[in-house]
Amino acid sequence: ETGVTQSPTHLIKTRGQQVTLRCSSQSGHNTVSWYQQALGQGPQFIFQYYREEENGRGNFPPRFSGLQFPNYSSELNVNALELDDSALYLCASSLEPGRETQYFGPGTRLLVL
Amino acid sequence: ILNVEQSPQSLHVQEGDSTNFTCSFPSSNFYALHWYRWETAKSPEALFVMTLNGDEKKKGRISATLNTKEGYSYLYIKGSQPEDSATYLCAPDVDQGGKLIFGQGTELSVKP
């Protein structure tokens, strides 16, 4: 067990809706990264938060946004859902950005109809 | 766009066989390489973080080597067991910030 939890485990939404996915990092981990894994691909980096500030972003549109809270929890929000947003969303926590081991949660499976 | 390639895509071996996989990545702007083991319905499990050219790391029957000059890493499993069945992912960190770029993975199936 990595000590990183995510909720919900599964979610079904329709096109145009908004969704919030949650992650609880290991205690003391100041960094959380979010990844999207589409079918048949490796996880793709969405963004990273460090001490509650965005610390880097991958090639995802602004309708993907996030928040990190002082209690080591974080959120990934996706507005105006599209069919292609159907994927497994993973969060990973680490002590600091950089050459640190990232500990992954089990993911949230999102299906957009 | 950074291209990380893993080969083979899938591998089927018998219990007791030794096996190895390859991860290829651009050698420029390299800071670290992460290896993960991912069993179905579980969280990806960190195996190694490798940073230096020539690094060799070992965890039980699993070991890995790193060549940053030519941009590749090998993962070896000695005497594969059915419980080694999983997808093995590599991910270089190319900006020193922990923004990992994952390959598609190698899916290993070990038959008893």
Side-chain angles (χ1 to χ4, degrees), chain A residues 2 33 35 37 40-43 45 48 55-56 88 90 97-102 104-106, chain B residues 31-32 34 36 38 41-44 46 49 51 89 93 96-104:
Chain A
T2 63
S33 302
Y35 296 85
Q37 190 197 26
Q41 298 181 20
F45 175 77
Q48 182 186 85
N55 185 47
L88 180 70
L90 295 159
R99 302 175 185 182
E100 300 272 348
T101 297
Q102 295 187 22
F104 279 82
Chain B
Y31 291 98
H34 297 239
Y36 284 88
W38 195 0
K42 294 189 178 180
S43 305
V49 180
T51 55
L89 291 159
D93 174 1
Q96 208 172 12
K99 303 164 190 63
L100 304 183
I101 310 296
F102 281 89
Q104 285 187 303

Side-chain angles (χ1 to χ4, degrees), chain A:
Chain A
E1 293 295 326
T2 63
V4 179
T5 60
Q6 291 186 244
S7 63
T9 54
H10 295 82
L11 199 52
I12 300 175
K13 290 284 189 178
T14 55
R15 235 176 354 172
Q17 285 189 311
Q18 179 266 343
V19 69
T20 297
L21 310 182
R22 294 181 172 83
C23 173
S24 180
S25 299
Q26 282 194 20
S27 181
H29 281 193
N30 294 308
T31 308
V32 64
S33 302
W34 286 90
Y35 296 85
Q36 179 198 65
Q37 190 197 26
L39 204 60
Q41 298 181 20
Q44 269 196 291
F45 175 77
I46 303 174
F47 46 56
Q48 182 186 85
Y49 278 77
Y50 174 60
R51 296 185 185 270
E52 300 163 52
E53 299 281 335
E54 187 177 292
N55 185 47
R57 189 176 186 91
N59 190 27
F60 281 81
R63 59 189 184 83
F64 285 77
S65 63
L67 287 170
Q68 186 186 25
F69 303 103
N71 65 352
Y72 306 112
S73 67
S74 57
E75 291 179 355
L76 164 65
N77 299 291
V78 187
N79 292 324
L81 282 166
E82 300 177 1
L83 298 180
D84 284 350
D85 296 333
S86 296
L88 180 70
Y89 290 85
L90 295 159
C91 71
S93 75
S94 58
L95 283 168
E96 303 285 331
R99 302 175 185 182
E100 300 272 348
T101 297
Q102 295 187 22
Y103 296 90
F104 279 82
T108 293
R109 174 79 59 188
L110 172 65
L111 177 62
V112 182
L113 301 175

Side-chain angles (χ1 to χ4, degrees), chain B residues 30-73:
Chain B
F30 172 86
Y31 291 98
L33 185 81
H34 297 239
W35 277 102
Y36 284 88
R37 177 175 175 275
W38 195 0
E39 287 182 73
T40 304
K42 294 189 178 180
S43 305
E45 174 195 354
L47 290 174
F48 307 113
V49 180
M50 309 177 79
T51 55
L52 299 175
N53 186 44
D55 247 358
E56 284 192 38
K57 297 224 171 176
K58 190 173 180 182
K59 185 177 183 178
R61 293 179 292 98
I62 305 176
S63 60
T65 61
L66 178 66
N67 183 323
T68 60
K69 293 184 179 179
E70 296 182 39
Y72 65 83
S73 176

Side-chain angles (χ1 to χ4, degrees), chain B:
Chain B
I1 297 178
L2 190 67
N3 196 29
V4 179
E5 294 194 358
Q6 291 189 247
S7 61
Q9 279 193 321
S10 64
L11 198 53
H12 300 266
V13 302
Q14 290 293 131
E15 183 175 354
D17 289 349
S18 292
T19 186
N20 65 84
F21 329 129
T22 304
C23 171
S24 301
F25 52 89
S27 55
S28 58
N29 297 326
F30 172 86
Y31 291 98
L33 185 81
H34 297 239
W35 277 102
Y36 284 88
R37 177 175 175 275
W38 195 0
E39 287 182 73
T40 304
K42 294 189 178 180
S43 305
E45 174 195 354
L47 290 174
F48 307 113
V49 180
M50 309 177 79
T51 55
L52 299 175
N53 186 44
D55 247 358
E56 284 192 38
K57 297 224 171 176
K58 190 173 180 182
K59 185 177 183 178
R61 293 179 292 98
I62 305 176
S63 60
T65 61
L66 178 66
N67 183 323
T68 60
K69 293 184 179 179
E70 296 182 39
Y72 65 83
S73 176
Y74 293 138
L75 188 82
Y76 301 92
I77 302 179
K78 185 178 177 182
S80 302
Q81 300 296 311
E83 57 264 31
D84 296 329
S85 297
T87 296
Y88 292 81
L89 291 159
C90 71
D93 174 1
V94 298
D95 73 349
Q96 208 172 12
K99 303 164 190 63
L100 304 183
I101 310 296
F102 281 89
Q104 285 187 303
T106 293
E107 187 177 354
L108 173 67
S109 173
V110 183
K111 293 184 180 178

